[in-house]
């Protein structure tokens, strides 16, 4: 349509309606606005509502729905609204179910381009740095206190202890959603208990111990605080409070807390999530994109930044290896989940 996308507000999507967690936040409170436009030049550009000459004169374009709303009809409508009398309208509002994230009309490789343009604002980036630094510090402390560490020459031969980030989806909003989804899809590969998650993580092939395990979990939605209990010896679980970073998160609304956790999971040496969670799926998409950019074999034995799905059983009762299929012509699996995730 050759139009600028007016800067969107970001909002949480929770099935368990905690109203205070659903506050929308302006895009530029999370991501760098000018950086986005610079990096996505020629693909998509953002504009501000304050730049409009008339914010009330808006033409609404109603999107169709259902099976009859094909890719071709969708594209034809967009083209029609990009010429003739429609050009006289400063603003066109596209309305309907999932009007812009039309999951079966977006190829994954195009959608992934957007992530290359999303750069956290400095404040949130610094907070994520602080959390990651604390996780790394715990690893160094564990390593230096471990009698099993062998020094080849001097302290410079220390290899940093890798950390595993687990998107531990056991909160009440997720359990309500996943149980309904399992019933609808007639499967048992969506919900995972705390016990199953711990067992699958402990069985990741080649994972050495001791290992620091960061648990990305929405504390406010937990029904109990037992996520730190029951881990096998050698696995050192930490959530925000035990790590001593809960004060960082408490300064911000729910969405920005999620943005910090997203970045912490993205930077992890190993990521383990749920393949039916959009949060987990987007992290794996971005990690897959980074691996491709590096020119590394995504399915090799010693792949950089491996990702796993704990809701699907893999080798030796561990989690299934997980990479995003970048050749898919739709966003169906990223938006709604899948159990077809392996190399």
């Amino acid at each position: 349509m050759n139009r600028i996308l007016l800067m969107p507000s970001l909002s949480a999507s929770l099935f368990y309606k905690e109203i205070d967690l659903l506050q929308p936040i302006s895009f530029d409170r999370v991501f760098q606005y000018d950086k986005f436009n610079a990096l996505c030049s020629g693909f998509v550009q953002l504009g501000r509502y304050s730049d409009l000459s008339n914010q009330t004169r808006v033409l609404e374009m109603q999107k169709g729905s259902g099976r009859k709303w094909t890719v071709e009809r969708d594209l034809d409508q967009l083209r029609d609204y990009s010429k003739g009398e429609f050009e006289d309208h400063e603003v066109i509002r596209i309305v309907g179910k999932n009007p812009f994230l039309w999951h079966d009309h977006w190829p994954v490789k195009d959608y992934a381009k957007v992530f290359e343009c999303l750069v956290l604002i400095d404040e949130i980036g610094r907070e994520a740095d602080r959390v990651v630094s604390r996780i790394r510090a715990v690893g160094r402390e564990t390593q230096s206190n471990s009698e099993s560490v062998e020094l080849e020459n001097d302290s410079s031969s220390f290899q940093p202890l890798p950390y595993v980030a687990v998107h531990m989806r056991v909160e009440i909003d997720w359990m309500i959603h996943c149980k309904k989804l399992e019933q609808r899809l007639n499967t048992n590969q969506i919900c995972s208990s705390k016990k199953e998650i711990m067992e699958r993580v402990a069985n990741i092939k080649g994972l050495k111990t001791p290992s620091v395990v960061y648990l990305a979990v929405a504390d406010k939605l937990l029904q109990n605080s037992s996520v730190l209990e029951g881990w096998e010896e050698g696995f050192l679980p930490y959530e925000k409070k035990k790590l001593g970073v809960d004060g960082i998160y408490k300064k911000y609304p729910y969405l920005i807390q999620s943005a910090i956790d997203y970045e912490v999971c993205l930077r992890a040496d190993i990521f383990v999530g749920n393949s039916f969670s959009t949060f987990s799926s987007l992290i794996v998409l971005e990690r897959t994109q980074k691996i491709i950019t590096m020119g590394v074999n995504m399915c090799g034995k010693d792949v950089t930044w491996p990702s796993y799905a704990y809701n699907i059983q893999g080798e030796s009762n561990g989690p299934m290896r997980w990479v995003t299929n970048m050749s898919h012509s739709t966003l169906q699996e990223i938006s709604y989940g899948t159990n077809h995730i392996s190399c």
Side-chain angles (χ1 to χ4, degrees):
M1 298 179 75
N2 196 31
R3 282 180 175 266
I4 289 172
L5 176 64
L6 285 170
M7 186 172 63
S9 291
L10 309 175
S11 58
S13 176
L14 297 174
F15 296 92
Y16 183 72
K17 299 300 183 184
E18 289 281 359
I19 302 300
D20 63 318
L21 303 184
L22 301 177
Q23 301 168 354
I25 290 177
S26 175
F27 177 92
D28 59 359
R29 279 197 63 194
V30 181
F31 301 108
Q32 295 185 34
Y33 175 88
D34 292 331
K35 191 79 168 180
F36 181 92
N37 279 343
L39 293 174
C40 262
S41 178
F43 181 58
V44 62
Q45 295 289 278
L46 297 178
R48 299 182 186 275
Y49 282 86
S50 58
D51 295 333
L52 297 176
S53 60
N54 187 338
Q55 296 188 28
T56 59
R57 188 172 174 269
V58 177
L59 173 69
E60 287 198 346
M61 180 173 73
Q62 180 70 47
K63 281 290 183 185
S65 62
R67 294 181 180 179
K68 292 183 179 180
W69 191 253
T70 62
V71 175
E72 290 75 23
R73 289 186 66 182
D74 196 7
L75 188 58
D76 285 345
Q77 185 192 43
L78 291 171
R79 286 171 173 159
D80 287 344
Y81 273 71
S82 65
K83 57 191 178 184
E85 61 178 307
F86 299 113
E87 289 185 293
D88 297 334
H89 291 270
E90 185 179 12
V91 180
I92 295 178
R93 179 187 293 122
I94 301 181
V95 295
K97 184 181 179 182
N98 303 324
F100 265 114
L101 191 59
W102 201 246
H103 66 268
D104 54 352
H105 297 181
W106 273 83
V108 173
K109 61 180 177 59
D110 284 351
Y111 186 56
K113 289 181 184 178
V114 175
F115 286 83
E116 297 177 2
C117 309
L118 293 172
V119 180
L120 291 173
I121 63 172
D122 292 340
E123 180 184 359
I124 297 178
R126 284 193 298 268
E127 301 290 31
D129 289 342
R130 291 173 64 192
V131 177
V132 172
S133 294
R134 180 61 192 139
I135 296 171
R136 297 288 188 198
V138 167
R140 287 193 298 272
E141 292 163 10
T142 302
Q143 195 172 30
S144 62
N145 294 331
S146 174
E147 295 179 358
S148 63
V149 174
E150 296 181 3
L151 299 179
E152 295 176 2
N153 296 310
D154 54 31
S155 60
S156 64
S157 64
F158 264 123
Q159 291 296 316
L161 201 66
Y163 80 88
V164 182
V166 179
H167 181 215
M168 203 166 189
R169 275 308 247 148
V170 292
E171 307 95 334
I172 185 172
D173 72 309
W174 174 256
M175 299 312 294
I176 293 170
H177 168 63
C178 75
K179 287 174 182 177
K180 290 180 180 178
L181 196 57
E182 282 191 336
Q183 290 176 353
R184 190 164 76 241
L185 299 180
N186 192 26
T187 181
N188 61 357
Q189 290 188 316
I190 302 176
C191 300
S192 288
S193 66
K194 185 191 74 169
K195 182 173 181 290
E196 182 178 73
I197 295 171
M198 292 188 299
E199 288 176 351
R200 294 268 165 89
V201 172
N203 288 324
I204 293 175
K205 189 174 181 180
L207 178 58
K208 297 178 181 179
T209 55
S211 286
V212 177
V213 181
Y214 175 70
L215 305 177
V217 61
D219 307 73
K220 283 190 175 182
L221 297 176
L222 276 178
Q223 289 184 296
N224 61 67
S225 56
S226 64
V227 291
L228 298 174
E229 301 169 6
W231 290 83
E232 288 192 14
E233 186 177 354
F235 290 88
L236 311 172
Y238 284 82
E239 37 74 83
K240 300 172 184 66
K241 187 173 182 180
K242 184 180 176 183
L243 196 61
V245 297
D246 52 327
I248 294 175
Y249 287 84
K250 287 178 180 178
K251 294 188 296 183
Y252 299 103
Y254 179 77
L255 265 180
I256 292 182
Q257 293 179 25
S258 298
I260 296 171
D261 256 358
Y262 182 97
E263 188 69 13
V264 173
C265 290
L266 185 65
R267 299 185 197 178
D269 300 284
I270 297 171
F271 173 71
V272 191
N274 188 301
S275 66
F276 281 82
S277 160
T278 306
F279 184 93
S280 289
S281 295
L282 293 177
I283 289 170
V284 174
L285 169 65
E286 194 164 354
R287 287 168 70 93
T288 300
Q289 181 83 334
K290 288 178 182 293
I291 293 170
I292 291 173
T293 303
M294 292 172 62
V296 177
N297 179 8
M298 292 186 295
C299 300
K301 290 184 178 180
D302 299 316
V303 65
T304 305
W305 298 327
S307 300
Y308 298 86
Y310 54 68
N311 58 302
I312 304 174
Q313 183 176 335
E315 188 177 356
S316 303
N317 196 36
M320 182 71 78
R321 273 284 304 278
W322 186 4
V323 295
T324 302
N325 186 340
M326 304 299 285
S327 64
H328 273 180
S329 60
T330 80
L331 295 177
Q332 176 72 33
E333 294 184 354
I334 292 173
S335 296
Y336 295 99
T338 180
N339 52 14
H340 302 292
I341 59 170
S342 193
C343 293

